[in-house]
Amino acid sequence: MAQDRKKVLVLGAGYAGLQTITKLQKLISAEDAEVTLINKNDYHYESTWLHEASAGTINYEELLYPIETAIDNSKVNFVKAEVTKIDRNAKKVETDSGIYDFDILVVALGFISETFGIEGMKDYAFQIENVLTSRKLSRHIEDKFANYASSKEKDENDLAILVGGAGFTGIEFLGELVTRIPELCNKYGVDQDKVRITCVEAAPKMLPMFSDELVNYAVSFLEDRGVEFKIATPIVAANEKGFVVKVDDKEQQLEANTAVWAAGVRGSELMEESFEGVKRGRIVNESDLTIKGYDDIFVIGDCSAFIPEGEERPLPTTAQIAMQQGEATAKNIANILNGNPTDKFEYIDRGTVCSLGAHDGVGVVFGKDIAGKKASFMKKIIDTRAIYKIGGFGLAFKKGKF
C-alpha cells in the first residue's frame, strides 16, 4: 500500500495553502497520501492585518503563529524552504533545501507588491508586503517622529507621510495611521497640527467595491483626522524626496520623509517562470481550480485568476476567496485520491469590511451597507473566524480579535 501513496505537495502557507492543508488532513488518512507543505517561513501570518503592524498599532508578533500549531504531524510533513523552480512536466519542485516530487501540486505562493513599473517606487517607498516590510515601516515612522523631536534643525518632512493608493489596503492603513499619530505626538511631544498625511490615488474613485455613501463615510472619517486626499492624481515616480505626481499634465513633487506604496499586488514571480499565459503573477483556472492541460495542478489564492461562470473578470485576491479555494481544493484532492471526479469551485460572497482603525469601518455584509461600530464588529468577527477556520478554537482564542 505504501508504494502507491500519492505525493501531494502544497506550496505556500498563506490563507489558501494552509486552509488546503488543514481541511485535507481532516479528509484523508496517512495511508491515502504523503502530504508535504513547503513554506519559506516556519510561521503563518495574517496578511489582512499587515496594515496594522505597518502603522504600529499592533506588534508584528501579534499577526503570526507557528505553522506547526495548525498541522497534524502524523499526516503532513512541513518543510521550511524557499521554492526556486516548479517543473510542471517533470513533476518536480526545486527549493533551496532539496527537490520534491509530486503527483498532485497546489500552488499557493501568495502575493508580492506590484509597482506597475513606476520609476523608483521599489527603491524609495515602503511596501506593505510581509512581516518584515511591516516591521521596517512602523519602526521608520516612529524613528522620524523621534528624530524630529530631538533635532535642533527641524525637518518638517519628518512629520509628513505619503500613501500611494486609496484602495482597500491604503484606506485600512490610513485608518491605523490616524490612530497611531496621536500616540506618537504624545510620546515625543510633537504638535499634531504639524503632521501631514497625504493619500494619492490615480483612479477617479476610491474603494471602487463600495457605494458612494460608504466611500464618503470613509473619506469624512479620515479627513476629520487630518488626512488629505489627492484623487485622480497619478504618481509617475518616487524619489528620495517623496512622490512625483501629475496634475493637469504638469509634474509636481510631493515631499515627505515617509512614502508608502499600497496600491497594487501581484502573484508570485515564480508563476511567470513556471507557466504560460500568466498575467501579473496570476493564471486563469479551470472550473475546479486546476489549470489548463494539468488536471493534477491546482493554483489558488493570489496566484489564481478564477473567472466565475458567465463573468468576464476574475475574482479579486482576498483572504475570504483564498480560504474558500483552499477548502474546495482539499475536497478535490480527496476526490482524486478516491477516484472520484472533481467538483466545480463556487464562491460564496459573505461580504467585505474595510476597517478604519480598531473601532470604525465600512462594509457590505450579506448585501447590506454597514458603517461605524457595526462594521468594526463584523471585521473582528471575520478576522477571528479566519484564524478559527485554520487553527481551531485554541488558536482563535489566543490570536483572535475579541
Side-chain angles (χ1 to χ4, degrees):
M1 178 70 195
Q3 299 310 105
D4 299 334
R5 278 205 316 165
K6 290 255 192 267
K7 289 182 174 174
V8 177
L9 202 52
V10 179
L11 311 180
Y15 293 111
L18 205 49
Q19 181 71 79
T20 302
I21 287 287
T22 53
K23 183 77 181 169
L24 189 59
Q25 67 193 11
K26 291 179 183 144
L27 296 175
I28 66 169
S29 70
E31 286 76 52
D32 292 334
E34 184 185 327
V35 181
T36 304
L37 170 64
I38 300 178
N39 194 59
K40 68 177 172 193
N41 304 308
D42 53 12
Y43 55 81
H44 162 88
Y45 60 89
E46 297 292 309
S47 57
T48 58
W49 304 7
L50 284 173
H51 61 282
E52 296 171 72
S54 297
T57 49
I58 64 171
N59 188 316
Y60 77 94
E61 285 158 335
E62 290 177 52
L63 53 97
L64 28 115
Y65 56 81
I67 288 167
E68 295 287 350
T69 57
I71 62 178
D72 177 347
N73 288 324
S74 69
K75 293 181 183 178
V76 179
N77 316 310
F78 171 61
V79 176
K80 183 185 170 189
E82 185 155 2
V83 178
T84 52
K85 188 181 176 191
I86 300 167
D87 189 331
R88 56 183 196 227
N89 295 322
K91 295 197 152 194
K92 287 183 191 309
V93 169
E94 293 177 20
T95 74
D96 57 8
S97 66
I99 296 176
Y100 295 83
D101 301 326
F102 65 84
D103 295 301
I104 298 170
L105 179 67
V106 180
V107 182
L109 287 167
F111 72 89
I112 54 172
S113 181
E114 167 68 286
T115 56
F116 305 107
I118 298 171
E119 186 195 332
M121 192 58 83
K122 278 259 196 288
D123 302 317
Y124 295 105
F126 287 87
Q127 320 285 316
I128 298 179
E129 211 169 30
N130 54 45
V131 176
L132 301 176
T133 61
S134 292
R135 283 182 75 181
K136 261 191 207 153
L137 174 50
S138 64
R139 274 186 194 159
H140 172 87
I141 292 169
E142 178 150 3
D143 285 349
K144 289 297 154 201
F145 274 74
N147 187 54
Y148 181 86
S150 63
S151 301
K152 281 198 171 66
E153 299 287 315
K154 304 228 181 272
D155 180 356
E156 299 296 331
N157 287 336
D158 276 345
L159 304 180
I161 300 170
L162 286 168
V163 178
F168 216 82
T169 307
I171 296 298
E172 289 205 314
F173 175 65
L174 289 165
E176 298 303 319
L177 212 46
V178 297
T179 306
R180 179 87 170 118
I181 296 303
E183 292 169 12
L184 288 174
C185 289
N186 202 7
K187 183 172 177 179
Y188 292 105
V190 169
D191 176 1
Q192 202 175 322
D193 290 339
K194 290 198 158 82
V195 178
R196 301 195 317 276
I197 304 172
T198 310
C199 176
V200 187
E201 170 59 61
K205 184 185 177 204
M206 19 194 296
L207 294 176
M209 68 292 285
F210 291 145
S211 67
D212 290 349
E213 287 76 23
L214 290 181
V215 173
N216 293 340
Y217 181 96
V219 171
S220 301
F221 178 93
L222 294 168
E223 284 181 341
D224 289 349
R225 287 157 182 79
V227 178
E228 185 195 342
F229 287 96
K230 291 184 184 297
I231 305 297
T233 307
I235 300 170
V236 292
N239 54 32
E240 64 283 349
K241 288 183 178 168
F243 290 152
V244 180
V245 297
K246 233 183 187 154
V247 180
D248 301 327
D249 287 335
K250 287 194 184 69
E251 291 195 356
Q252 208 179 350
Q253 175 78 52
L254 303 180
E255 291 192 13
N257 288 347
T258 305
V260 183
W261 176 248
V265 296
R266 47 157 289 138
S268 162
E269 283 175 335
L270 266 179
M271 291 299 294
E272 275 88 348
E273 295 165 26
S274 311
F275 304 102
E276 274 99 42
V278 174
K279 280 186 189 152
R280 286 179 55 200
R282 300 174 70 190
I283 192 168
V284 174
N285 301 86
E286 299 290 287
S287 63
D288 64 355
L289 298 173
T290 58
I291 56 171
K292 196 172 183 180
Y294 297 86
D295 57 7
D296 46 16
I297 299 179
F298 295 86
V299 178
I300 57 176
D302 299 308
C303 296
S304 86
F306 182 82
I307 303 172
E309 219 171 311
E311 308 262 325
E312 283 174 18
R313 293 177 64 84
L315 292 174
T317 51
T318 69
Q320 181 182 188
I321 293 166
M323 290 176 72
Q324 288 189 31
Q325 288 183 335
E327 280 199 59
T329 299
K331 288 176 186 164
N332 274 338
I333 291 170
N335 283 337
I336 293 170
L337 295 172
N338 296 324
N340 297 326
T342 55
D343 297 320
K344 284 182 178 181
F345 171 63
E346 284 183 26
Y347 168 57
I348 299 158
D349 185 357
R350 297 197 171 90
T352 306
V353 181
C354 177
S355 65
L356 297 166
H359 308 293
D360 221 301
V362 291
V364 179
V365 177
F366 297 117
K368 284 200 170 64
D369 279 9
I370 55 170
K373 284 193 167 50
K374 197 183 280 184
S376 175
F377 180 73
M378 279 310 298
K379 181 76 173 181
K380 290 184 176 81
I381 288 177
I382 291 164
D383 286 352
T384 307
R385 183 175 181 268
I387 295 180
Y388 171 75
K389 280 193 72 80
I390 289 176
F393 178 76
L395 200 62
F397 184 74
K398 190 173 162 192
K399 288 280 178 185
K401 291 269 179 96
F402 289 103

